[in-house]
Amino acid sequence: MPEVSDTSATGVAYLDHNATTPVDPRVAEEVMKFMLLDYGNAGSRTHTFGQTAKERVQRARTEIADLLACDPAEVIFTSGATESNNLAILGLASHGEETGRKHIVSTLIEHKAVLEPLDELAKRGFEVDLAAPGPGGRVDPEEIIRLVRPDTLLVSTMAVNNETGVIQPIEQVADALRGTDTFFHVDAAQAYGKLIAPLRHDRVDLLSFSGHKIGAPKGIGGLLTRRRGYKRPPLTPLMFGGGQERGLRPGTLPVALIAGLGLASSLAVKEFAQRHARARETRDLLVEALTPLNPQFNSDLEHTIDSTLNFSIPGVDSEAAIVALKDIVAISNGSACTSQTYEPSHVLLASGIGDERVAGALRLSWGYDQTLPNVDELVGRLRSLSRS
């Protein structure tokens, strides 16, 4: 695998991959090819430029389908997981209203891109139940299933939490939903390409993902719409005009971005074992380095993805730590989509973590070819803050 740049021109190491990843150089080359050379519109039928674009889009569907173990025709391209989440959740509203199934089950630790569409449905008269996680940040699958009723339209759970990295029990939930009419949606933004087997479960009806979490550009993602037998999920589009993507997502396809997403998906499958091993090595190194500071890990490490650590150091405020470390490492204290509000993490609060510990929470997230900061310097500065 080529070295992926995760340091800035100033030498600051980048440990915020859960927010976005550097674009893989191989993916960047593919994107530029379809920007500068093969720039046709995939909807153009009268010349080879359009045919070349159409063929690359279809190949990308196949590359994504190989990762998800689905039919390429079940892949719908979107701008990313946020749009896909909205299409999956709001797109089922009409079906729920027509059938009288207006109950939805989700969890308290979902991303705002799920919770806010659920709030919108609640305003429309849907009933939404949210399961709470345990102390380690993992939701008990039995708690989710306990909430399911005969009139439950949808269960929506994330595969991996974006703040804590905790892997959620989507396989167990999918198994329990067999034999029911309830649709199952998985927000896989943080899991896509980092986990494989759970995302291939054939009882997952809808699955959202983004390219920029796995080395593809921002602005491209997709929604798996898996058929049951011959029936597709009964989604109603949120936008209209053009008829692209089986009428679910109109607009000219961004061929270059789709090509990048396809290649990134293919690389994630081919290099999965090697990436997993490298990410685990980085985690082990960081955990060992932090141990003298008596860190309080805000997740159950037995159920946490190899590329994320969320922890608090007693006496250290996260904002002070981020400022103190900014010249050596880029890190965060929560979701990039909500961190600018400076509100306490709803994810950590839902797990029962106290306010002081939440205020000190730091998230480190890394890639498979990670350039680490000076770990001794990082630990030393955190130690100084804990004593001040």
Side-chain angles (χ1 to χ4, degrees), residues 87-171:
L87 180 57
I89 294 168
L90 299 178
L92 283 174
S94 293
H95 180 73
E97 290 165 344
E98 291 168 3
T99 60
R101 293 164 56 201
K102 298 180 65 176
H103 177 243
I104 298 174
V105 176
S106 189
T107 81
L108 288 170
I109 60 171
E110 299 301 311
H111 193 279
K112 295 295 186 181
V114 166
L115 293 176
E116 291 187 9
L118 291 179
D119 286 343
E120 177 61 26
L121 288 187
K123 295 175 184 176
R124 300 186 196 178
F126 284 75
E127 184 180 354
V128 179
D129 282 325
L130 301 177
R138 189 170 186 266
V139 180
D140 185 342
E142 294 298 324
E143 177 64 14
I144 294 173
I145 297 305
R146 183 186 66 80
L147 295 171
V148 175
R149 310 184 320 212
D151 65 335
T152 301
L153 171 68
L154 174 70
V155 172
S156 180
T157 66
M158 57 176 30
V160 172
N161 185 265
N162 54 299
E163 294 191 32
T164 64
V166 174
I167 302 169
Q168 302 301 321
I170 61 172
E171 290 173 294

Side-chain angles (χ1 to χ4, degrees), residues 22-331:
V23 175
D24 187 303
R26 296 167 292 182
V27 172
E29 183 178 357
E30 181 80 348
V31 171
M32 292 305 296
K33 176 178 182 290
F34 281 87
M35 282 187 169
L36 299 177
L37 299 176
D38 297 323
Y39 45 75
N41 187 325
S44 299
R45 299 182 177 184
T46 59
H47 47 68
T48 57
F49 290 91
Q51 186 61 34
T52 298
K54 181 179 179 181
E55 290 173 355
R56 186 61 185 96
V57 168
Q58 185 55 33
R59 180 152 57 93
R61 286 192 211 278
T62 300
E63 290 167 326
I64 293 165
D66 288 343
L67 192 157
L68 295 175
C70 67
D71 188 311
E74 296 171 334
V75 175
I76 303 297
F77 290 114
T78 69
S79 62
T82 293
E83 182 185 346
S84 296
N85 288 338
N86 275 264
L87 180 57
I89 294 168
L90 299 178
L92 283 174
S94 293
H95 180 73
E97 290 165 344
E98 291 168 3
T99 60
R101 293 164 56 201
K102 298 180 65 176
H103 177 243
I104 298 174
V105 176
S106 189
T107 81
L108 288 170
I109 60 171
E110 299 301 311
H111 193 279
K112 295 295 186 181
V114 166
L115 293 176
E116 291 187 9
L118 291 179
D119 286 343
E120 177 61 26
L121 288 187
K123 295 175 184 176
R124 300 186 196 178
F126 284 75
E127 184 180 354
V128 179
D129 282 325
L130 301 177
R138 189 170 186 266
V139 180
D140 185 342
E142 294 298 324
E143 177 64 14
I144 294 173
I145 297 305
R146 183 186 66 80
L147 295 171
V148 175
R149 310 184 320 212
D151 65 335
T152 301
L153 171 68
L154 174 70
V155 172
S156 180
T157 66
M158 57 176 30
V160 172
N161 185 265
N162 54 299
E163 294 191 32
T164 64
V166 174
I167 302 169
Q168 302 301 321
I170 61 172
E171 290 173 294
Q172 294 93 318
V173 174
D175 285 337
L177 289 175
R178 288 195 189 279
T180 74
D181 291 329
T182 300
F183 294 99
F184 186 30
H185 167 246
V186 172
D187 177 0
Q190 293 294 340
Y192 184 77
K194 301 174 188 176
L195 300 178
I196 300 291
L199 307 188
R200 290 176 167 175
H201 199 294
D202 63 1
R203 191 53 184 79
V204 175
D205 302 294
L206 299 157
L207 184 143
S208 305
F209 56 96
S210 285
H212 74 105
K213 307 295 187 181
I214 59 161
K218 302 172 187 68
I220 187 64
L223 177 67
L224 163 64
T225 58
R226 183 176 273 120
R227 289 184 291 247
R228 290 195 207 167
Y230 297 103
K231 294 184 178 180
R232 294 179 179 274
L235 298 177
T236 299
L238 306 182
M239 300 183 293
F240 300 88
Q244 293 91 343
E245 297 305 276
R246 299 185 178 273
L248 285 177
R249 207 279 184 169
T252 301
L253 293 174
V255 177
L257 299 183
I258 289 171
L261 174 58
L263 179 55
S265 301
S266 178
L267 293 171
V269 174
K270 292 176 183 177
E271 299 173 356
F272 178 75
Q274 187 178 0
R275 294 182 182 192
H276 174 84
R278 290 191 178 187
R280 174 55 69 97
E281 288 175 4
T282 299
R283 187 175 92 164
D284 291 346
L285 185 155
L286 289 169
V287 168
E288 181 179 0
L290 290 167
T291 296
L293 301 179
N294 298 313
Q296 300 166 312
F297 290 105
N298 297 320
S299 65
D300 178 355
L301 295 186
E302 291 299 314
H303 292 290
T304 299
I305 201 165
D306 292 322
S307 55
T308 303
L309 281 178
N310 190 302
F311 63 93
S312 304
I313 303 296
V316 175
D317 176 77
S318 65
E319 294 291 338
I322 289 169
V323 171
L325 297 171
K326 67 179 182 179
D327 61 325
I328 61 170
V329 61
I331 60 176

Side-chain angles (χ1 to χ4, degrees), residues 5-36:
S5 176
D6 50 19
T7 57
S8 71
T10 59
V12 177
Y14 182 72
L15 288 178
D16 199 17
H17 282 239
N18 283 13
T20 195
T21 58
V23 175
D24 187 303
R26 296 167 292 182
V27 172
E29 183 178 357
E30 181 80 348
V31 171
M32 292 305 296
K33 176 178 182 290
F34 281 87
M35 282 187 169
L36 299 177

Side-chain angles (χ1 to χ4, degrees), residues 19 82 111-113 162 212-213 334-341 363:
T82 293
H111 193 279
K112 295 295 186 181
N162 54 299
H212 74 105
K213 307 295 187 181
S335 171
C337 300
T338 58
S339 60
Q340 293 188 25
T341 63
R363 183 186 70 181

